[in-house]
Amino acid sequence: MDIQGKVALVAGATSGIGEATAIMFARRGASVMLSGRRENLLRSIVEKLRAEGHTAAYAACDVTNEEQVKNMIAFTEKTFDRLDFAYNNAGIMSDDVETADVSSAEFDRVINVNLRSMFLCMKYELKQMLKQGGEGYSIVNCSSIGGLIGMPGRVAYHASKHAVLGMTKCAALEYAARGIRINAVCPATIMTPMVENMMRTGAITKVIEPMGRIGTPEEVASCVLWLCSQGAGFVTGQGIAVDGGYTVQ
C-alpha cells in the first residue's frame, strides 16, 4: 500500500474510524487534510501528527452544507496543491424505532447527514480530481452492513446506507475510464465513541459476529487505505464488508 507523497482528505475525522484512517494515512507517508465539525478535536489530532513529523492540516466543515464542502476542497488544494484520495466518513445512527413511528424530521436528519453529505463530498472531490487530470485517484465512502442487510427499528439508517452504496456504484461507472476509482466500506460493530455510547444506553446488548468480538477502527482504516492504493487498482464500485463474517451467516 504505497501511498507515499499522496494527498488524502478524511471527512469526518474527529474520532473513531475517521480519526484512525487519517492517522494511518499520515503514518504511511501521505499528506492529510482532516475535516469535521469539532475544531478542537481536529486541532489536537493535527498537532499530534505534526509532532510525529507528519504533514497534516484541518478544515472545520459541516459536510451537509454545500458551500462549506466546496470551501473544504478549495482549502485542500490551496494547502497541498492537489487531492489524490478521499475517505467520506461522516455519519449518525438513528434511534431504534419501528417504521410507522419514525418522525419525518428524524428521517430527514439521518438522510441529510448520512447521504447528502456523501453526495456533496463526492461532487466536489470529483471536480477537483477531474481538474487535475491523470489517473490513480480513489474515493472511499463509508456505508455499513446496514447498506447490505435490513434490521428492525433502523429504517432511516439502513435506507441511507443502502443509498450510499447505490450512489457509489453509479459514480464508479461514470468515472472508471477517467482514472478515478470509487468504492465503499461496510463496517459492522466497530469500537467507536458512537458504539460505546450505544452499549452504555443498551442500544447494543450483544455481539453476534462470528469472530465473537467487536472490530477496531484501525481494521476499517486498513481496508480504506488498501482501496486507495494501487494494490486495489482493479477494484471499483464495490461495497466491502468489514464485519467479522456477520453478513455471510
Side-chain angles (χ1 to χ4, degrees):
M1 296 194 296
D2 184 10
I3 60 172
Q4 190 81 25
K6 300 293 187 178
V7 175
L9 165 69
V10 179
T14 55
S15 65
I17 296 169
E19 178 184 2
T21 303
I23 290 172
M24 193 172 290
F25 267 128
R27 290 177 176 170
R28 294 292 181 90
S31 298
V32 186
M33 178 64 70
L34 292 82
S35 177
R37 289 183 298 178
R38 294 175 288 180
E39 187 170 358
N40 60 321
L41 296 180
L42 293 172
R43 184 185 303 112
S44 176
I45 298 166
V46 167
E47 289 174 351
K48 171 184 175 180
L49 290 173
R50 288 176 175 174
E52 294 178 3
H54 307 301
T55 303
Y58 72 87
C61 177
D62 176 355
V63 288
T64 66
N65 183 301
E66 185 165 4
E67 192 63 26
Q68 290 189 31
V69 172
K70 184 178 179 180
N71 291 338
M72 172 183 70
I73 301 301
F75 183 64
T76 302
E77 181 188 23
K78 180 180 178 181
T79 304
F80 297 127
D81 296 324
R82 61 184 296 106
L83 176 64
D84 298 295
F85 309 139
Y87 175 49
N88 301 316
N89 178 68
I92 57 174
M93 176 64 77
S94 59
D95 294 331
D96 187 358
V97 179
E98 289 188 349
T99 302
D101 299 318
V102 176
S103 70
S104 297
E106 172 65 4
F107 187 87
D108 290 346
R109 182 181 76 95
V110 174
I111 294 296
N112 194 42
V113 176
N114 290 0
L115 181 60
R116 174 181 166 83
S117 71
M118 295 281 173
F119 163 70
L120 291 176
C121 286
M122 276 210 307
K123 175 179 178 176
Y124 289 100
E125 291 156 1
L126 286 164
K127 285 179 178 292
Q128 176 63 35
M129 291 170 178
L130 290 168
K131 183 174 74 171
Q132 293 166 186
E135 58 184 21
Y137 304 115
S138 178
I139 295 173
V140 181
N141 296 319
C142 189
S143 179
S144 163
I145 59 167
L148 301 171
I149 61 172
M151 192 174 292
R154 301 288 182 190
V155 65
Y157 181 79
H158 284 241
S160 70
K161 294 301 187 178
H162 271 74
V164 167
L165 289 183
M167 190 166 58
T168 297
K169 293 173 183 179
C170 290
L173 291 172
E174 292 168 353
Y175 298 100
R178 285 182 271 179
I180 306 172
R181 295 182 300 101
I182 305 170
N183 293 286
V185 287
C186 301
T189 308
I190 305 297
M191 189 55 76
T192 64
M194 182 173 72
V195 168
E196 290 173 356
N197 182 62
M198 292 173 70
M199 294 176 73
R200 282 193 299 270
T201 61
I204 294 176
T205 57
K206 63 180 180 178
V207 179
I208 55 176
E209 284 83 349
M211 287 188 178
R213 66 173 177 84
I214 291 176
T216 70
E218 290 75 18
E219 288 171 319
V220 183
S222 292
C223 188
V224 173
L225 263 69
W226 176 71
L227 286 170
C228 287
S229 76
Q230 281 306 301
F234 202 52
V235 180
T236 195
Q238 302 304 305
I240 308 297
V242 187
D243 67 353
Y246 183 96
T247 54
V248 297
Q249 295 183 96

